[in-house]
Amino acid sequence: MFEARLALLEKFRPDIINNLVLLWWRDDLCQPTDFYLAVAHAPSLTKDALKAGLLAGRLKYRGGGLTGRLELTAEGRYLVRRMLRRMGAEVAA
């Protein structure tokens, strides 16, 4: 079941995984990062990653935007590592 869910994400939502790769590029995949989205109601791959369970954390509404500290879940780290390996990039952590 785990592999099937991840395969679906890789096939139909590679944009989410690519966004996570960009957010954690050359960083420790186990470390959280601060996130800010200027327009709270705008579509966001990061919000989609939260919904898909690839990110953990909480975004709070502040001044028309969203802000919060997010970290990769085990599934998120796994998919980011796989994408980085496919790209031939060095994986941190």
Side-chain angles (χ1 to χ4, degrees), residues 18 30 54 76:
N18 289 333
C30 295
L54 302 179

Side-chain angles (χ1 to χ4, degrees), residues 32-46:
T33 189
D34 293 322
F35 178 78
Y36 178 73
L37 179 67
V39 181
H41 299 293
S44 167
L45 294 172
T46 303

Side-chain angles (χ1 to χ4, degrees), residues 9-20:
L9 283 168
E10 286 181 318
K11 183 173 183 173
F12 294 107
R13 291 307 308 264
D15 54 334
I16 294 174
I17 302 164
N18 289 333
N19 182 62
L20 295 177

Side-chain angles (χ1 to χ4, degrees), residues 1 6 14-15 22 25 29 32 38 48 63-65 68 73 76 79 82 85 88:
M1 179 87 163
L6 297 182
D15 54 334
L22 291 174
W25 186 260
L29 301 180
D48 291 346
T73 63
L79 289 174
R82 274 177 64 141
R85 282 189 195 112

Side-chain angles (χ1 to χ4, degrees), residues 21 25-26 81 83-92:
V21 167
W25 186 260
R26 303 261 188 231
R81 281 188 186 112
M83 180 67 70
L84 286 170
R85 282 189 195 112
R86 285 185 189 142
M87 294 169 46
E90 186 177 314
V91 180

